[in-house]
Amino acid sequence: YIQDPLLEEFIRETIDANPQLKVMLSEYRASIQQIPQVTALPDPMMTFTQFIRSPETRVGPQTHSLMISQRFPWFGKLDLHGKVAVREASARYEQYRGYERQLAARVKDTFYELGYLDRSIEIAREEQLVLEYYEQLAQTRYATGGGLQHEVIKVQTEITRAIDRLSVLSEQRNAAVSRLNTLRSRRPEEPIAVIASIEPPPLLFNLDALYSLGESNRPELRAALDGIEGNELGVELSRKGYWPDVTLSAGLINVDGREDPAGRALPPPDNGKNVYNFSVGINIPIRRDKYRAAELAAGERVVAGRDRYDAIANEMRFEIQTQANRIETLSRQLDLYERVLIPQADSALRSVETAYETGLTGALDLLDSERVLLNIRLAQERFVSDYMQALSRLEFALGTRFPQR
């Protein structure tokens, strides 16, 4: 969903600076480099042999030999290794994206909590000013004989409580600022400006559509799918183990010409001609139990991957439904507070203020009405913060922003 520009900046700073995210990105990049490694042929082998006692032949002694061999894995093995590596790299990337979204959700949660505290501090300061005005009224009434001293003391007590509430809220704000700065890899005491008022967006829910959106976008689910596909390819690869690899070799044996008297006197045909050879070899996969065990292990990994996917999907659907229900409940509460409770409490307070100024009621009624309005306003700000935090958790469950249509 469209976010506050300051929140977007905080999220970007957190993602850019987080060391664990950098580790995961490096591991993903390293996994990409596995692909050309596992798809390449094994290095060829060169063998040089020097004869200590040269074998004598009709055309001369053999002094040394040179052989080059290359092993070729059975058809499809290298391709399957590459596909498995691709799926592993893709899963690492999705894990990276999942942690990235987790960080963003933590920043949002703290940001909205900070917004609630800023609004609460503002309300608490307004309350203190109102109470100080009430104190002046009480002092005036007491001085003119229209009021009692205990009313003045009661108002002063409420002012002290308001100052203490403001102190507690300020301490909570400092803790939230430290938490947000820590996420941004900044010094905990670095100041953060007052968060602007937040207007909760109206939302409509279609759970089936949200479930489908989550299945398409949730990084953890995409990583689990990559794992399933990689394990299925692993089963196919393990079955290739029953087939042999082929080794092709080509060699040269150096032959010196005959230097004995008979050879010099009457050189034989092809005197000193080198010998060339070509050979084909295969390994013999006779350890059938080993390959069968590898196939069974790969199959179990497929089953585990599917169960892992189902577990993540079930948890995702639960979280989507939970947060959607919470948002709908909070939306109704906010509507009730805005349309009914706050206007009623404000109207009641204005009426009691008028009655107090004319001497028709006492300070206790005035303070009770003021306290009711204060609690309703604080509760409204709490609901706004809870609403936005629930939306953030819903978007985390979806793996993407909430659709605006």
Side-chain angles (χ1 to χ4, degrees):
Y1 211 88
I2 295 176
Q3 305 291 351
D4 183 283
L6 183 59
L7 175 57
E8 296 283 8
E9 179 183 347
F10 287 161
I11 292 174
R12 184 170 59 254
E13 289 175 350
T14 299
I15 290 173
D16 290 343
N18 186 266
Q20 179 60 31
L21 201 59
K22 293 179 181 178
V23 169
M24 298 180 73
L25 181 59
S26 295
E27 289 177 343
Y28 159 65
R29 289 171 175 168
S31 66
I32 292 177
Q33 302 308 316
Q34 285 292 111
I35 299 171
Q37 296 180 56
V38 299
T39 55
L41 286 171
D43 290 335
M45 175 72 74
M46 177 179 289
T47 304
F48 176 81
T49 303
Q50 176 66 50
F51 296 116
I52 298 175
R53 294 187 62 182
S54 300
E56 293 289 344
T57 68
R58 180 181 63 82
V59 295
Q62 298 177 355
T63 59
H64 59 267
S65 67
L66 181 68
M67 177 169 288
I68 297 177
S69 61
Q70 173 67 63
R71 183 171 65 87
F72 294 91
W74 190 258
F75 301 104
K77 281 186 178 180
L78 292 181
D79 181 60
L80 285 171
H81 276 297
K83 290 179 179 179
V84 170
V86 168
R87 296 269 66 81
E88 290 176 351
S90 179
R92 284 188 179 275
Y93 176 70
E94 295 300 339
Q95 291 166 359
Y96 163 81
R97 286 186 59 245
Y99 189 68
E100 185 180 68
R101 296 199 63 81
Q102 181 180 341
L103 287 174
R106 290 167 62 186
V107 171
K108 290 178 184 179
D109 195 75
T110 307
F111 181 87
Y112 294 133
E113 185 67 20
L114 190 57
Y116 158 72
L117 292 170
D118 283 340
R119 298 285 74 71
S120 298
I121 289 172
E122 181 181 337
I123 292 171
R125 286 172 177 162
E126 292 175 0
E127 180 206 19
Q128 184 179 343
L129 292 175
V130 169
L131 290 173
E132 288 172 353
Y133 170 70
Y134 291 165
E135 182 188 15
Q136 294 176 2
L137 290 180
Q139 292 279 16
T140 300
R141 287 187 58 181
Y142 176 63
T144 59
L148 300 174
Q149 185 180 20
H150 81 271
E151 292 185 338
V152 177
I153 297 174
K154 183 65 176 176
V155 175
Q156 291 173 340
T157 301
E158 287 298 316
I159 292 174
T160 302
R161 291 178 60 186
I163 294 173
D164 180 65
R165 180 184 295 109
L166 190 58
S167 176
V168 172
L169 289 171
S170 298
E171 183 180 350
Q172 292 174 347
R173 186 185 194 278
N174 291 336
V177 167
S178 297
R179 187 160 61 249
L180 185 53
N181 281 332
T182 300
L183 288 169
R184 298 164 61 209
S185 297
R186 303 291 187 89
R187 294 176 62 86
E189 68 275 11
E190 182 174 317
I192 293 178
V194 173
I195 305 301
S197 297
I198 300 168
E199 185 66 29
L203 303 176
L204 296 176
F205 297 100
N206 181 324
L207 287 180
D208 289 335
L210 292 179
Y211 294 155
S212 297
L213 190 65
E215 290 168 1
S216 301
N217 292 277
R218 181 73 180 261
E220 291 83 356
L221 282 178
R222 294 167 67 94
L225 280 177
D226 285 326
I228 292 172
E229 293 175 8
N231 290 330
E232 288 174 343
L233 290 169
V235 172
E236 188 176 350
L237 181 59
S238 67
R239 291 170 181 164
K240 295 285 185 180
Y242 294 103
W243 296 89
D245 298 334
V246 178
T247 301
L248 303 180
S249 303
L252 160 70
I253 300 177
N254 184 68
V255 179
D256 286 345
R258 290 181 58 177
E259 295 296 332
D260 59 292
R264 285 198 301 269
L266 187 60
D270 298 329
N271 184 38
K273 188 173 183 179
N274 293 336
V275 178
Y276 300 93
N277 61 72
F278 178 80
S279 61
V280 178
I282 61 171
N283 64 301
I284 305 175
I286 61 174
R287 314 297 181 192
R288 313 295 284 183
D289 291 344
K290 178 179 72 173
Y291 302 115
R292 178 58 179 165
E295 183 181 355
L296 291 174
E300 291 298 329
R301 283 190 287 269
V302 171
V303 173
R306 289 172 179 164
D307 290 339
R308 185 180 302 110
Y309 178 91
D310 290 340
I312 297 172
N314 289 336
E315 182 64 26
M316 178 202 69
R317 286 187 285 269
F318 168 77
E319 187 67 14
I320 289 174
Q321 183 186 39
T322 299
Q323 298 307 327
N325 290 340
R326 180 162 175 73
I327 289 172
E328 289 180 334
T329 300
L330 289 167
S331 179
R332 289 192 295 269
Q333 289 176 313
L334 284 170
D335 184 64
L336 175 64
Y337 272 64
E338 184 176 352
R339 290 192 307 104
V340 180
L341 292 180
I342 288 183
Q344 287 179 347
D346 186 69
S347 177
L349 178 59
R350 300 286 83 80
S351 176
V352 174
E353 282 180 350
T354 301
Y356 183 75
E357 290 172 352
T358 58
L360 297 178
T361 190
L364 293 180
D365 292 333
L366 179 64
L367 294 176
D368 285 342
S369 296
E370 188 278 333
R371 193 179 300 114
V372 168
L373 179 59
L374 168 69
N375 291 334
I376 289 176
R377 293 181 66 193
L378 291 175
Q380 182 190 34
E381 295 301 331
R382 179 72 269 173
F383 290 152
V384 170
S385 177
D386 289 349
Y387 185 102
M388 297 307 297
Q389 288 175 337
L391 175 56
S392 171
R393 291 162 190 165
L394 175 59
E395 290 183 329
F396 176 73
L398 292 173
T400 186
R401 291 186 174 183
F402 189 88
Q404 297 189 39
R405 291 186 179 181

